[in-house]
Amino acid sequence: MDNKNSILLVDPEFDLNTAADCDLLLKITPDSFSYAIIDKQSKQLKAVYDEQECDNVPAILAIKLKNDVYLTLPFKEIKAAVYTENSICVPNELFDPEQVNQYAKFFAEEQSNNLYARPFSTFGFTSIFTLQKFTEETLENALNNCKMFAQNAPVLALAAQTKKTVLLLDFTASSFNALYTKAEQLIFQNYYQTDNAEEFNYYLLLIISQLNINTSNTEVYLSGVIHDGDDYYQCIQKYFHTINFNLPPAKEIDHKILDDMPAHYYSSLLALDLCE
């Protein structure tokens, strides 16, 4: 444990000299920072770090990238899912890869000049986004060839694993990302900050009402910082009959170091492994 809001789990047999066979996955939200190291040769999860309720994520990220021995290793591949307010989804039939810069006019927040485009073929659109300049520079300066994704990319990857009508809720300690799919189509996705279960209940009812969700035939999949029976779970239980923590597996990876942790806790972080 680094502090009261963080946890580090490491395989005691992790040999740092095998880093060249490993991938690094980073998940950066407005209030949390986490990473996972996966040995792609042995197909084993070697390390997981998670820090919740961060007051200044960019500053904490900069310090971790400089001082954390695991983050300075020479990885095979690095992927980062980063929160940004500048993100849009463009239907593939309207997306012009030769004119990517035209989409910058839809962004209200002043961020970096780099535009990223990530296709999601399952849902038929391309995600266009920019990142906060300091965060982008911090990642680029510390990590070689880091592949950037918007924060919702891992959740989209999880949703793509099921063909059911699903409301997928991914939680941090003080926020959640909601994603609703129906008939293999993405209907809705959004990020919310919540101070308590009462506020979460308000947003959940708003989502149900605005999307006219039939709660009796919609499965809810949960990931992140939520537990069976807690206040947030009880809110969901009031409206939905089928609630599932067992998300479809990201990939066939040995997660032995997570045996003493809730199985769903790092589902979205590990789902970044599915993103291309």
Side-chain angles (χ1 to χ4, degrees), residues 23 25 38 40 79 251 253 270-276:
D23 286 359
L25 310 176
I38 299 176
K40 303 311 289 273
K79 298 177 182 179
K251 284 186 178 179
I253 299 293
L270 298 176
L272 186 52
D273 195 29
L274 293 170
C275 299
E276 299 295 341

Side-chain angles (χ1 to χ4, degrees), residues 166-229:
V166 166
L167 176 63
L168 201 158
L169 303 173
D170 181 44
F171 292 84
T172 70
S174 54
S175 66
F176 72 100
N177 199 80
L179 185 147
Y180 177 59
T181 63
K182 186 176 183 180
E184 299 182 58
Q185 291 185 328
L186 176 65
I187 306 299
F188 172 84
Q189 78 85 29
N190 200 15
Y191 165 84
Y192 301 88
Q193 289 184 297
T194 54
D195 291 328
N196 50 55
E198 183 178 353
E199 190 172 0
F200 167 70
N201 189 78
Y202 166 79
Y203 285 127
L204 183 60
L205 282 175
L206 185 65
I207 292 169
I208 293 171
S209 174
Q210 289 189 331
L211 301 179
N212 195 26
I213 295 177
N214 184 334
T215 57
S216 62
N217 69 358
T218 299
E219 291 192 29
V220 176
Y221 281 85
L222 303 178
S223 65
V225 188
I226 184 171
H227 303 279
D228 188 352

Side-chain angles (χ1 to χ4, degrees), residues 85-198:
E85 294 184 11
N86 283 355
S87 178
I88 58 172
C89 298
V90 182
N92 286 341
E93 58 269 24
L94 301 178
F95 176 63
D96 183 354
E98 301 299 323
Q99 300 292 329
V100 174
N101 289 335
Q102 69 176 313
Y103 302 108
K105 63 186 178 183
F106 297 108
F107 298 143
E109 295 295 323
E110 184 177 351
Q111 299 194 15
S112 80
N113 294 324
N114 295 321
L115 283 173
Y116 300 92
R118 298 294 182 204
F120 289 92
S121 56
T122 301
F123 298 115
F125 67 82
T126 296
S127 174
I128 310 293
F129 60 95
T130 65
L131 301 179
Q132 197 265 349
K133 190 173 183 180
F134 177 79
T135 300
E136 181 184 67
E137 290 178 348
T138 299
L139 290 168
E140 289 181 342
N141 290 337
L143 304 171
N144 291 325
N145 301 317
C146 180
K147 198 170 184 179
M148 308 289 190
F149 296 86
Q151 180 192 330
N152 63 345
V155 183
L156 285 165
L158 283 174
Q161 303 301 297
T162 176
K163 297 182 179 180
K164 302 174 183 178
T165 299
V166 166
L167 176 63
L168 201 158
L169 303 173
D170 181 44
F171 292 84
T172 70
S174 54
S175 66
F176 72 100
N177 199 80
L179 185 147
Y180 177 59
T181 63
K182 186 176 183 180
E184 299 182 58
Q185 291 185 328
L186 176 65
I187 306 299
F188 172 84
Q189 78 85 29
N190 200 15
Y191 165 84
Y192 301 88
Q193 289 184 297
T194 54
D195 291 328
N196 50 55
E198 183 178 353

Side-chain angles (χ1 to χ4, degrees), residues 44-75:
Q44 291 181 315
L45 180 62
K46 290 299 183 180
V48 168
Y49 175 83
D50 182 45
E51 185 162 351
Q52 296 288 323
E53 299 180 275
C54 302
D55 293 330
N56 189 333
V57 172
I60 291 172
L61 173 64
I63 293 171
K64 291 298 294 183
L65 288 170
K66 182 179 180 180
N67 300 323
D68 189 320
V69 62
Y70 296 108
L71 293 179
T72 61
L73 297 173
F75 295 103

